[in-house]
Structure formats: structure tokens, C-alpha cells
Amino acid sequence: MAANDTSSDFYDFKAIENKWQDHWLSNSTYRASVDSSKEKYYVLEMFPYPSGRIHMGHVRNYSIGDVIARYKRFQGFNVLHPMGWDSFGLPAENAAIKNNSHPARWTYDNIDYMRDQLRQLGLSYDWEREIATCNPKYYKWEQQIFLEMYEKDIVYQKTTTVNWCNSCETVLANEQVIEGACWRCDEQVQAREMNGWFFKITDYAEELLDDLDMLDGWPDKVITMQRNWIGKSTGLQCAFDIVDCDEKLSIFTTRPDTIFGVTFMSIAAEHPLLETLLQANPLADEVRSFVKLIIEEKKEQGREDLTEKKGIFTGRYCSNPFNGEKVPIFVANFVLMGYGTGAVMAVPAHDQRDFEFAKKYGLAVHPVVQPAGTDLDAADMEEASTLPGILIESESFSGMHSEEAKQAIIDFARQHNIGDSHITYRLRDWGISRQRYWGAPIPMIRCEKCGVQPVAIKDLPVTLPQDLDQEQNSCAPLHQRNSFFETSCPKCGGSAQRETDTMDTFVESSWYFARYTSPRFTDSPLNKEEASRWLPVDQYIGGVEHAILHLLYSRFFTKVLRDLGYLDIDEPFKNLLTQGMVIKDGAKMSKSKGNVVDPNDLIQEYGADTTRLFSLFAAPPEKDLEWNAKGVEGCSRFLNRIHRFVSTHKEAIIAGGELTIASLNSNEKELHRKTHQTIKRVTGNIEQNFHFNTAISRVMELFNSLSSLSGDKQKESLGPAVIREAIDNLLILLSPMTPHFCAELWANIHTDSTIEEQSWPTWDEEAAREDELTIVIQVKGKVRSRLQVPADIDDAALEELALKDESALKFIDGQTIKKVIVVKKKLVNIVV
């Protein structure tokens, strides 16, 4: 029989779900309003890109958030649970070109379709706060934030080597390059010189690092990923004089204890002093040819794919400021100008990359740190020694432990004015310029006379052009659209050109959570009063793949908005839940693998509540969910069993009556106890770690007890009061997971209220306490018997009973008992 059969064995989920979705929408049931009598709770799932259809990952993510939102409403919180669309981006451009459409039309059509899909899932969103980042009413305020950051010197423009993706035809931020490839299309990234706009995220590096200690509600792995990406390093910065030249090469090292072991210097091919080194130099042509070659190789291979380490001697030397030794200067392909100073002191004895380079080019290896129990000899070394130890051949520092020597050498450098302590970060400023059409225009103007000028705030938004030249496609970049970039200078009124780059789409997602607090506010980007009321987000939910990109940028933007006066918080997300993937046949669901399960098919066959229930029941939220068709069918059967029970016992449940504990028979006492135990356990499962799968199991156990104890074969029947107590609590406990189903059953037995008006149940500790416990008896680790004992039995009495148990004695069989292990209220293990 099909799951949507309307016979008495199956509930009519289509009618029920349509009914309650219409009810919630027409009554604005989930509108977040100002209510100072309630504590606020802001729960948010990472908003989706409107690709056209939701997938099972969406279902799981949004179901998790919806359970939390509904649970908190039952608890009396004033809940904000909004939804919107991260709607700029390259896929819209590609789809528009493919379908001969405009990206705006494609995007808004997808939004309409996906909104309907999300409503079919019964998600308790405040749809009145919906935003789409491609709407000029949204990105107008983003442009204003950009201009205010520009005024505060948090935005600047420069020409630099950038990450270029040929496939996407745009620049990528460092964080968007994953193992040398584009995060979006997986094509190898090239290096290219371009002019672009940057956010000074490095100005906030120390605060971004320090404030990680505030995020005790975040997973440790995410904290570690961000800490490593920021990459704080403390060490020595000093300068090596270039021999026969007035210039110096500045270096930074985290190993000042090895500075007496420097045997050569490596510099980047793009180092600004390279041409100075090549003046009147007989090796100049050879070096320039090598530099040209490796720059081309970097473009072809990408920065992270330089497997072969190459270099060339420049013919010049520099002197070590600590001992005056002259060391040769090499250009090396592994030194990057964008990181550090573009020059690296090379210590082959104590750095493996330098060791391999030295062996390749016949350079000296000079050990200066002797690890305990070793006697390093350069002639015998087959690899670098990177362990700490005692300094040797390091003048007055010889004999010191390497850790002590690090600070001593920095102090020496400071005292002799040859260097000082310095902090560097792996984090680099955020390049936000993108060479695509479908993004927020950067609100700047270039005038030949006045230079770069900001657009006046009164002239915002700078909108994307909708007019098309006959030979242009709808996604032609802005630099090809004269009608867009030809303008007048806001300062002198003369001819000028607009900036034709658009902003990285991660800019939109870096502050959307704040805009949700006042999405229709028209005076400024944020209503500070509303932002103060709702922020920070109490629970944020999304994939761990956003650990660096989105989450780091959002933390940065929050601090910027604070400094601009819009926010009074330091961090955007108090708690973070990173849910696992949905996998099928051992792999993440994807079209390319042909293992996608369409949520629409599930909703049509089983209903939204069954679909939600399976996505929550199949695994803890932080773990991967393995698709299992039988699991879906099992969830459907469970709901139908409850429906049949309530339908069968409807009159008794409605009759209900006062529950008198003293007059309960043994079966009623057992059900009463199970009900309160379930309330306690489900509440704990949700509060402690959002393990909805375990919470659902507890509800299933309660229903099984109810079904068993109310059966015809029971000697003692259940009265209506205890049945009603069990059903009322079961429906509320299950309601966050299966809202339509529980709302309908509640309405069937409570004509004077809705389930949303109820409070989360509380348990009676005394009622939840067991009268008896089942204790397992093991002999040599194997279960041999079970005992029913009083719940308050002590360990000594339990051990005595176990040793007298006839079943256990058979397996002891007269052997000497070595020891008895009692695990309180669980088991007794007799070791013979």
C-alpha cells in the first residue's frame, strides 16, 4: 500500500501539511516581534545559493535549525529564525548564458521555486524578513559600508600578484585557493599581476586570533583551522647588508637560534632589489632569463604546485649582521614576494627545503644546533635536523639551549641596533575585486584629474546595468558596457570612469545575519537598536567547509561594523554547529556521481514530516548521514502507528481527567514513570549536544511502552488520564521534528488550543525515578543472568545477590573467585 494512501491505516499527510503550512503563513505564526518579557534567541542556518532545487543536504541543515527554533519557542524564548538568499555569483551567469536568459531573471525564478520547496518542509521561518543579496535594496547598504571602510582606511587599491582562475575568468582570494585549485571549479590557479581592491583584514589579525578564545561554543576543529590560517609567528626581523651596495635585504625568521648557520640567501623572482643586484653584473642576462622562466611557470602551475625547487646564483653576496660572514644570494622559485619580506635566510643544516636546495647547488651546510644525544657533522648529514638542542659555533650564544637562545639573540639584535622581535601572520589582506557581471558594483570612480574618488552616498546604489548592446550577452562584464562606466567625476564634474570590478560574493554573506535584524530599515545599513536586541546569533548552523572563508570573513566584518558604530558586539556567532554530509553508496550525494535523492520525491511519497524525521533520526547532526531507504519507510511507519493509536483512543484521550498518582495501578505507574523519564532524556539530548537522533529514539521507546501497556492482553488497563499525559507530552516532544503531524493530532484532541501555544514539558524527578533496576550479571565478561533489584540498592548488597544467583553459580562451577567488579546500577562482573 502506498504511503500516501488515505485509508484508515495511513494518515493523509498531503492534506495535513498543506493545511498547517497555510495556517502558519496566514497567521504569521513565526513572525519575530519585539517582546521584552521574553529572552531572545537567534537561530540561523547558513543561507543557500538559489541554484534551483533544494537537496538532501539542505533538508538536513534546515531541519536541524528548525528543531532548535521550535524547541526554543516551546521554552518561552522570543525566537528569530530568518531565511534569505546568497544570490550573486558565477553559476547564475553561466546558467543565464546557457539558457539565453538574464542572471536576475534566472535567480529570482529559482528563489521563487526554492521558497516554495522550503515552505513545503514546514520550516518555521519569519518570511517577512527574507532578503536576497542581489537586490539593490540590499547591496546599496553594502556599498555604503564599503565607502565608510574606505574613509577609515580599511579599504585600499593596489597592483599585486593575484590568484587567477582561467575557467571562472576572475580573481580569487587566498582563502579561495584550495591546494592550488579554484574552490569553485577545481581548475589550477595561475599567478597574474592585476590592480584590485583589498580589505585590510590583517589590521584585525591579532583580534581575530585572540577572540577565538571567546568562542567556547564552536567546534575545536574550526577554531584550529582559523588559528592556523591566521598563522601568527613571532621571531626576529633583521637586515643583511648587500656587499658593495648601500641596500639591505630584510628577513624574518622564527628560528633566530639558527642565524649563525646561514649559508645562503634566497629571494623571490619579483623582489624589488633584484634589478639593483643585477646592475653591472655579468650574470644579469642569465638571471633575468631564469626569472622570466619561473614567473611563467608560476602562472602555469599555480603558487602551491611548485614541486621542483629551482634557483640561480645572482653573482652577489650579503653579509650576516651577527658574524659578518658573506653568503651568496640566490633567486629561488619557492620564495613568494607576497609572504614575509620576499627574502629568506637559508639554514640547510636545520631546514629540509634549504638542505635539499644546498645539496642540489653545492652550497655549504653548517650545523649550529646540536640535539641531545647527537653529534652533527655536515659531511654525514642526509637530512636537516629540525629538533631543538644546544647551540654550537654560535659565538657567545654557544652552550645555550635553542629555546633560550632565540630570545637572547633577539635581545642582542635590539641592543646592537641590527634587528628586533617581530610578529608576522600567514593571513593576507582580502582581495575583493572580481571581473564578473553578476556581483555588487564597487562604488568608486576614476578621474584623470582628481584620481580615484568615492561615489557620493546619496547616489547609492550603483546598480548593475540592465540594458544590452546588440552584440553583448546578458553577462558581459562591466568594462565592456560604456553606458555603465562612462560617468562624471563627483569632485570636478569632468569626464570619469566607474570602477568596473564587482565585489567578491563572500562580502554579501559576511554581514547578512546582521541585516536580518532590520531588513526593511531605510536609514542606514543597520538599525543599531534592533541589532543590539538580536545579535549575536545564538546558534549558527552550516558545513565545516566554511570554516575559513565565510566564518573568518563574517568575524572580520562584525568587528568592522562595530568600529563603524553599527554594532556593539565583537563576535557574530555565539555557538556553531557544523553538520555532516548526506552520503549514499559511500559518497557525498552529487549529480556527477549519480547518487542524488530528490527531496521532492520523498515529500510526495512520504510527506515532509517523514522526510524531516529521517534526516534527524539517521545520525547525530555533526556526523555524516548515510542514506537508507528502509530508514525512511521506518519513520513513516512510526508516524502512522501514532496516528492510528490516537485515532483509536481519541475519545479516551479527550476525556482525560485528573491524574491521581496514589490511585495508579502498576501499568499506569510504569507509563507515568516512562513519560517523565522521556521528557528528561529528550530535553537532555537536545540541550547537551543536539542529538536529535537519540531524542527521537526516546520518544519511540515511550510510544512502544504506551502501545504495549494499553494492549488487550494486559491484566491492568490504562486509564484515560495517564494515556492523555503520555500522548500530550509525546506530541510536544516530537513536534519540533514533525510539526504538521503533531499540530494536527493536537488539534484533534484539543479543540481549544494549538500545539504552538504550549510550553515545553517539565519532568517530575520523583516520578522519573525507577522503582527497580535490571542488573546484568557477567561471569568472565559474558552475560550469564539478570536481576531485578530495588533502584536504591547499594554495591555491597548487589554483590551479595549476584554471588547467590543460581544461573551465575552454574558458570562459576566451584572455581575460585578472584574479584567482583560492580558497575553501579548497571552490572556485576564475576572474575574467576
Side-chain angles (χ1 to χ4, degrees), residues 527 533 537:
N527 179 328
R533 184 190 316 283
V537 175

Side-chain angles (χ1 to χ4, degrees), residues 270-380:
E270 303 87 354
H271 198 288
L273 289 179
L274 179 58
E275 277 304 313
T276 301
L277 297 176
L278 298 181
Q279 295 300 314
N281 187 331
L283 298 179
D285 289 344
E286 185 181 352
V287 173
R288 289 190 182 107
S289 295
F290 174 81
V291 166
K292 182 179 180 181
L293 174 66
I294 65 173
I295 288 177
E296 288 301 315
E297 285 182 350
K298 284 182 182 181
K299 289 179 180 179
E300 292 299 320
Q301 294 177 301
R303 298 187 194 182
E304 307 296 329
D305 194 36
L306 300 171
T307 53
E308 183 185 359
K309 305 300 183 280
K310 299 178 183 178
I312 191 170
F313 177 43
T314 63
R316 303 294 297 269
Y317 293 82
C318 59
S319 62
N320 188 326
F322 285 84
N323 58 14
E325 287 188 6
K326 291 197 307 181
V327 296
I329 303 171
F330 276 72
V331 177
N333 67 342
F334 52 80
V335 182
L336 302 177
M337 197 61 229
Y339 289 84
T341 64
V344 178
M345 72 174 207
V347 187
H350 304 294
D351 181 276
Q352 186 60 28
R353 183 183 63 186
D354 293 343
F355 182 86
E356 293 170 2
F357 192 91
K359 289 297 183 182
K360 181 175 182 177
Y361 292 101
L363 300 168
V365 177
H366 185 188
V368 292
V369 177
Q370 196 83 266
T374 66
D375 185 14
L376 294 180
D377 185 331
D380 297 330

Side-chain angles (χ1 to χ4, degrees), residues 614-627:
F614 169 75
S615 73
L616 296 162
F617 180 56
E622 74 277 8
K623 302 293 185 182
D624 289 346
L625 184 158
E626 179 72 46
W627 170 255

Side-chain angles (χ1 to χ4, degrees), residues 654-711:
I654 293 174
E658 193 75 21
L659 188 67
T660 307
I661 305 299
S663 63
L664 296 180
N665 63 40
S666 61
N667 280 357
E668 290 173 329
K669 286 180 180 178
E670 184 176 342
L671 181 59
H672 178 62
R673 179 169 54 252
K674 189 68 175 181
T675 298
H676 285 265
Q677 288 175 342
T678 304
I679 296 169
K680 180 179 181 178
R681 290 166 179 168
V682 169
T683 304
N685 292 146
I686 296 176
E687 285 287 344
Q688 293 167 18
N689 49 22
F690 297 137
H691 277 194
F692 308 123
N693 59 317
T694 310
I696 293 167
S697 292
R698 301 299 188 191
V699 176
M700 289 177 172
E701 290 170 6
L702 172 59
F703 181 71
N704 289 339
S705 294
L706 173 60
S707 298
S708 174
L709 293 170
S710 60

Side-chain angles (χ1 to χ4, degrees), residues 111-255:
I111 287 174
D112 290 342
Y113 187 82
M114 290 179 70
R115 186 191 302 112
D116 287 343
Q117 287 186 300
L118 295 183
R119 283 177 174 165
Q120 287 177 29
L121 281 169
L123 302 168
S124 61
Y125 293 129
D126 180 355
W127 284 106
E128 295 174 18
R129 293 176 183 259
E130 180 183 10
I131 59 175
T133 60
C134 64
N135 190 321
K137 292 180 180 179
Y138 179 85
Y139 69 74
K140 167 187 177 178
W141 302 117
E142 184 167 296
Q143 291 172 337
Q144 180 170 326
I145 293 168
F146 178 99
L147 294 175
E148 293 180 23
M149 291 171 70
Y150 180 75
E151 291 174 7
K152 296 286 188 180
D153 198 31
I154 308 173
V155 176
Y156 66 97
Q157 190 178 33
K158 71 173 180 179
T159 299
T160 186
T161 302
V162 297
N163 307 297
W164 177 262
C165 177
N166 265 334
S167 177
C168 297
E169 297 183 335
T170 191
V171 168
L172 303 174
N174 290 335
E175 293 83 355
Q176 294 166 334
V177 180
I178 311 300
E179 297 181 352
C182 173
W183 71 282
R184 183 187 291 111
C185 71
D186 208 33
E187 290 292 320
Q188 283 298 118
V189 170
Q190 299 179 358
R192 179 178 288 192
E193 288 287 318
M194 290 189 72
N195 195 38
W197 291 95
F198 290 80
F199 286 159
K200 285 187 179 178
I201 192 173
T202 53
D203 282 2
Y204 291 81
E206 190 67 23
E207 188 181 0
L208 286 166
L209 189 63
D210 289 345
D211 286 357
L212 288 172
D213 293 334
M214 297 167 51
L215 303 178
D216 52 10
W218 284 38
D220 290 341
K221 62 182 177 182
V222 176
I223 297 292
T224 299
M225 291 168 75
Q226 290 217 0
R227 198 181 301 280
N228 291 343
W229 187 261
I230 295 168
K232 181 178 180 179
S233 298
T234 302
L236 167 71
Q237 184 158 309
C238 64
F240 283 53
D241 290 331
I242 299 174
V243 176
D244 298 328
C245 180
D246 293 333
E247 299 286 355
K248 300 175 183 287
L249 284 174
S250 178
I251 64 97
F252 169 80
T253 178
T254 59
R255 292 292 308 273

Side-chain angles (χ1 to χ4, degrees), residues 20-21 23-33 42-48 54-55 57-70 73 79-85 111 114-131 512 516 520 539-542 612 736 739-740 756:
W20 287 101
Q21 287 161 18
H23 172 82
W24 295 328
L25 186 63
S26 61
N27 288 277
S28 299
T29 303
Y30 304 117
R31 176 196 293 145
S33 57
Y42 185 176
V43 58
L44 183 65
E45 307 94 64
M46 295 179 185
F47 65 167
I54 64 170
H55 52 68
H58 288 131
V59 172
R60 189 183 192 202
N61 188 20
Y62 304 145
S63 294
I64 290 168
D66 198 50
V67 171
I68 296 170
R70 290 177 180 277
R73 288 193 193 96
V79 173
L80 173 59
H81 188 209
M83 175 48 71
W85 312 96
I111 287 174
M114 290 179 70
R115 186 191 302 112
D116 287 343
Q117 287 186 300
L118 295 183
R119 283 177 174 165
Q120 287 177 29
L121 281 169
L123 302 168
S124 61
Y125 293 129
D126 180 355
W127 284 106
E128 295 174 18
R129 293 176 183 259
E130 180 183 10
I131 59 175
Y512 80 105
Y516 276 140
R520 307 295 174 254
Q539 184 63 60
Y540 199 39
I541 305 159
R612 289 169 57 119
H740 316 85
E756 286 86 7

